[in-house]
C-alpha cells in the first residue's frame, strides 16, 4: 500500500533530496543538480518565493521511499500567459504505477485546492532550470542543465492521464569544415562593419558581470518573451544566476556584441561541460568536486550551448552570424571536441537549421505533458497562447536571421 506524505520536516526534506541520488546511483548518464541549490527550495527565502508557491510529496511503501514529486504554482507564468496551471517537477519514482498515480493525485488535489485547471510538466520555476521528460537518449550523458530519467517514466506519466504538449530535441555538434568557417567569417565581418558593431571586452569574469550582467538579463527577457514556459527575471533570480555564473563562466565561453554607442545588443553564452565532475559527490560541492569543476572549465571535453539573445531591433542586422562564428571557434580551435545544444523546441525550425553544417546528431528528445483537471473558465480572448505557429516562426527566424 502506498502512503503519501507532504514534506514538512528536515528528515523528510533530506529524503526528498536524496531519493534520486539513490535511484540513479552508479548510472553513468545521470548528472545531479547542485545539492545546496536544491536544499534552498525548502527555505522561506528561495529565489522564486515572491512569484510561486511550492509543495513537495514523498511516496512510501512499507516505510521506504519509492517516489517523490513537487508541484509549483508559478503565479508569474499564469499571469503572463493567461492560464490557470500548476507545474509538476522533480518527479522521480520506481517503476511502480501505483506510486506514480498516488504522487500525481496528491499534486492534482493541491492544484484543485488552488483553483487551477491544468497540470503540466515536467517544468521548473523558470525555463532557466531543468525541464522536460527524457523520452529518447537514455544511453547519453546528460548535461548539467538538464535532468536524466529512466525510460519507464513516460509510461508512468501517460498512465496518469497526461498527453504531450510540446517536445524538445537536443543535438551533438562537431566542428564544421574550414570552407564553411571561412564563409561565416566573411559574412560576420561584413555585418559587424556595416552596422558599426564590435565585441565587448572585460579584464576578467567579475569585470564582465559588472559591465554586462543587467543588459544580459534584459536581452534574454526580450528574446525569449514568447517561448513556451518562460517567465521574466526577478532581482532574486538575477543575483542567484550571477553567483552561479561566477564559478563556471570563463570569458572564452561568452560573447557580447555592442553597437557603435557601446550598448550591448547581442549575447552568446556557453558552459563548459562539467556534468561528470558532479557525479561522484551527488552534486555536493566538496573540495574535490570544486577542483574537478574548475578543471572542466579550463579543459572541457564538451561545451554546452546555453543562451543566445538579440534585441528585437537588431535581429535583421546580420550580427547573429558574428555570434555563431565566435562560438564555432570553440570547436575549431580545439577548446572542445563537441558541443551540446541543450533543449530546442521541435517547431523552432530556423534555429534547428543553424546546425546543419555542424554534423548534427539528434541524440536526445524531451517532452512536456498536460492534463486537464477542471473545466476551463478562461476565455479565448483573455488566454495568451504560448505559441502561434506563424508568429513563432517569425520570432525564431528573426532571432536566427
Amino acid at each position: 500500500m502506498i502512503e503519501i506524505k507532504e514534506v514538512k520536516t528536515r528528515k523528510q526534506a533530506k529524503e526528498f533530496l536524496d531519493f534520486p541520488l539513490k535511484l540513479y546511483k552508479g548510472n553513468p548518464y545521470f548528472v545531479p543538480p547542485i545539492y545546496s541549490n536544491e536544499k534552498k527550495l525548502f527555505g522561506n527565502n528561495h529565489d522564486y518565493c515572491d512569484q510561486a508557491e511550492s509543495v513537495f510529496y514523498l511516496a512510501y511503501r512499507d516505510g521506504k521511499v519509492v517516489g517523490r514529486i513537487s508541484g509549483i504554482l508559478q503565479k508569474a507564468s499564469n499571469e503572463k500567459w493567461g492560464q490557470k496551471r500548476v507545474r509538476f517537477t522533480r518527479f522521480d519514482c520506481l517503476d511502480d504505477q501505483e506510486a506514480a498515480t498516488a504522487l500525481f493525485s496528491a499534486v492534482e488535489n493541491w492544484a484543485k485546492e488552488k483553483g487551477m485547471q491544468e497540470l503540466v510538466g515536467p517544468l521548473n520555476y523558470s525555463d532557466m532550470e531543468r525541464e522536460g521528460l527524457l523520452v529518447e537518449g537514455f544511453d547519453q550523458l546528460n548535461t548539467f542543465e538538464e535532468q536524466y530519467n529512466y525510460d519507464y517514466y513516460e509510461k508512468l506519466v501517460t498512465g496518469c492521464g497526461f498527453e504531450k504538449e510540446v517536445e524538445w530535441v537536443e543535438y551533438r555538434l562537431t566542428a564544421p569544415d574550414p570552407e564553411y568557417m571561412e564563409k561565416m567569417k566573411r559574412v560576420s565581418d561584413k555585418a559587424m562593419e556595416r552596422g558599426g558593431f564590435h565585441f565587448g571586452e572585460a579584464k576578467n569574469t567579475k569585470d564582465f558581470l559588472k559591465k554586462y550582467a543587467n543588459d544580459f538579463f534584459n536581452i534574454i527577457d526580450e528574446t525569449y518573451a514568447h517561448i513556451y514556459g518562460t517567465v521574466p527575471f526577478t532581482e532574486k533570480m538575477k543575483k542567484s544566476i550571477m553567483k552561479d555564473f561566477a564559478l563556471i563562466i570563463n570569458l572564452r565561453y561568452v560573447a557580447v556584441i555592442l553597437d557603435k554607442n557601446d550598448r550591448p545588443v547581442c549575447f552568446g553564452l556557453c558552459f563548459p561541460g562539467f556534468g561528470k565532475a558532479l557525479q561522484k559527490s551527488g552534486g555536493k560541492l566538496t573540495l574535490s568536486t570544486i577542483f574537478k569543476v574548475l578543471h572542466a572549465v579550463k579543459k572541457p571535453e564538451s561545451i554546452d550551448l546555453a543562451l543566445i539573445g538579440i534585441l528585437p531591433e537588431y535581429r535583421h542586422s546580420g550580427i547573429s552570424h558574428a555570434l555563431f562564428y565566435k562560438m564555432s571557434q570553440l570547436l575549431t580551435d580545439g577548446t572542445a571536441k563537441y558541443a551540446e545544444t541543450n533543449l530546442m523546441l521541435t517547431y523552432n525550425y530556423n534555429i534547428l537549421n543553424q546546425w546543419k553544417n555542424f554534423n548534427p546528431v539528434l541524440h536526445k528528445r524531451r517532452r512536456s505533458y498536460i492534463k486537464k483537471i477542471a473545466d476551463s473558465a478562461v476565455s479565448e480572448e483573455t488566454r495568451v497562447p504560448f505559441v502561434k505557429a506563424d508568429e513563432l516562426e517569425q520570432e525564431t527566424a528573426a532571432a536566427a536571421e
Side-chain angles (χ1 to χ4, degrees):
M1 180 176 178
I2 296 295
E3 181 182 13
I4 299 295
K5 293 183 180 180
E6 183 179 349
V7 175
K8 294 288 189 181
T9 67
R10 289 185 179 180
K11 179 177 181 295
Q12 290 171 334
K14 189 175 188 305
E15 287 179 319
F16 188 94
L17 296 172
D18 291 348
F19 178 71
L21 303 182
K22 295 176 180 178
L23 184 63
Y24 295 105
K25 186 176 181 180
N27 186 298
Y29 312 116
F30 171 74
V31 174
I34 300 295
Y35 194 89
S36 58
N37 287 350
E38 291 291 286
K39 191 175 180 180
K40 289 177 184 177
L41 296 177
F42 295 97
N44 296 321
N45 196 36
H46 64 82
D47 296 341
Y48 300 92
C49 62
D50 294 338
Q51 62 176 203
E53 296 180 41
S54 308
V55 68
F56 304 87
Y57 293 109
L58 287 166
Y60 296 85
R61 185 185 290 278
D62 299 326
K64 295 183 179 180
V65 178
V66 294
R68 70 169 196 167
I69 198 170
S70 175
I72 299 172
L73 174 51
Q74 185 25 294
K75 300 173 184 177
S77 176
N78 283 346
E79 181 179 352
K80 173 181 177 179
W81 299 104
Q83 297 167 332
K84 289 189 174 183
R85 292 184 161 189
V86 157
R87 303 176 173 197
F88 76 83
T89 183
R90 293 166 177 81
F91 169 66
D92 287 293
C93 193
L94 300 182
D95 190 0
D96 184 332
Q97 188 66 59
E98 184 182 5
T101 299
L103 285 166
F104 279 107
S105 294
V107 176
E108 183 176 331
N109 290 334
W110 181 77
K112 288 178 179 178
E113 290 174 3
K114 299 293 181 180
M116 298 297 106
Q117 298 162 349
E118 296 170 325
L119 192 57
V120 297
L123 293 175
N124 224 311
Y125 292 90
S126 78
D127 70 316
M128 295 291 289
E129 302 166 297
R130 298 180 174 200
E131 58 186 355
L133 191 80
L134 188 69
V135 295
E136 291 180 18
F138 303 105
D139 59 349
Q140 300 293 316
L141 176 69
N142 270 233
T143 64
F144 168 73
E145 295 84 9
E146 305 304 337
Q147 179 68 20
Y148 181 82
N149 59 260
Y150 288 123
D151 58 359
Y152 61 79
Y153 274 43
E154 183 182 17
K155 175 192 66 176
L156 297 181
V157 172
T158 57
C160 292
F162 286 86
E163 298 178 346
K164 182 184 78 171
E165 182 170 47
V166 299
E167 188 166 279
W168 296 273
V169 288
E170 299 176 54
Y171 285 87
R172 174 171 288 190
L173 312 174
T174 53
D177 60 58
E179 184 179 346
Y180 179 71
M181 285 296 291
E182 290 177 9
K183 179 181 178 181
M184 283 186 69
K185 187 177 187 309
R186 289 196 301 270
V187 175
S188 167
D189 291 345
K190 185 177 180 180
M192 294 287 279
E193 182 180 356
R194 183 177 62 241
F197 300 111
H198 58 286
F199 282 97
E201 298 181 353
K203 298 176 183 178
N204 48 46
T205 300
K206 183 178 180 180
D207 184 43
F208 182 89
L209 293 174
K210 182 179 179 181
K211 283 182 175 180
Y212 306 120
N214 285 334
D215 294 289
F216 166 81
F217 291 115
N218 292 336
I219 292 173
I220 295 302
D221 264 343
E222 290 198 45
T223 301
Y224 293 87
H226 302 297
I227 301 299
Y228 176 80
T230 56
V231 295
F233 289 106
T234 65
E235 290 305 314
K236 281 188 177 181
M237 289 169 61
K238 292 177 183 179
K239 289 179 181 178
S240 178
I241 291 170
M242 286 177 62
K243 183 179 179 181
D244 291 341
F245 279 7
L247 175 65
I248 58 176
I249 279 187
N250 184 301
L251 294 185
R252 286 186 296 168
Y253 311 129
V254 63
V256 55
I257 296 178
L258 314 178
D259 65 14
K260 58 186 177 182
N261 297 315
D262 288 334
R263 177 196 179 201
V265 298
C266 180
F267 267 100
L269 175 65
C270 302
F271 293 135
F274 61 91
K276 289 182 179 179
L278 298 170
Q279 288 180 317
K280 188 175 182 179
S281 71
K284 296 178 180 179
L285 293 179
T286 63
L287 187 60
S288 174
T289 301
I290 291 174
F291 279 129
K292 291 178 182 178
V293 170
L294 293 176
H295 178 75
V297 171
K298 291 181 179 180
K299 296 182 179 180
E301 180 180 356
S302 64
I303 55 173
D304 302 341
L305 305 182
L307 292 166
I308 295 173
I310 306 172
L311 287 178
E313 61 265 39
Y314 291 96
R315 286 176 182 166
H316 300 289
S317 65
I319 56 174
S320 67
H321 296 294
L323 194 63
F324 279 108
Y325 176 73
K326 183 86 170 179
M327 297 168 74
S328 300
Q329 289 179 306
L330 294 173
L331 295 175
T332 58
D333 67 5
T335 297
K337 296 178 181 178
Y338 60 92
E340 296 274 0
T341 64
N342 279 316
L343 273 63
M344 299 179 294
L345 288 161
T346 52
Y347 49 68
N348 197 340
Y349 302 113
N350 290 282
I351 291 296
L352 296 174
N353 286 336
Q354 289 289 328
W355 310 125
K356 63 185 179 182
N357 293 295
F358 289 78
N359 311 302
V361 176
L362 197 169
H363 66 325
K364 294 176 205 156
R365 189 181 299 269
R366 300 177 191 273
R367 291 175 184 159
S368 178
Y369 295 83
I370 184 169
K371 180 181 180 181
K372 302 286 185 179
I373 60 175
D375 292 335
S376 175
V378 181
S379 69
E380 291 303 316
E381 288 75 18
T382 58
R383 175 186 285 273
V384 180
F386 67 83
V387 56
K388 287 183 179 178
D390 56 341
E391 292 181 2
L392 186 60
E393 289 186 11
Q394 292 174 16
E395 184 80 15
T396 53
E401 317 236 29

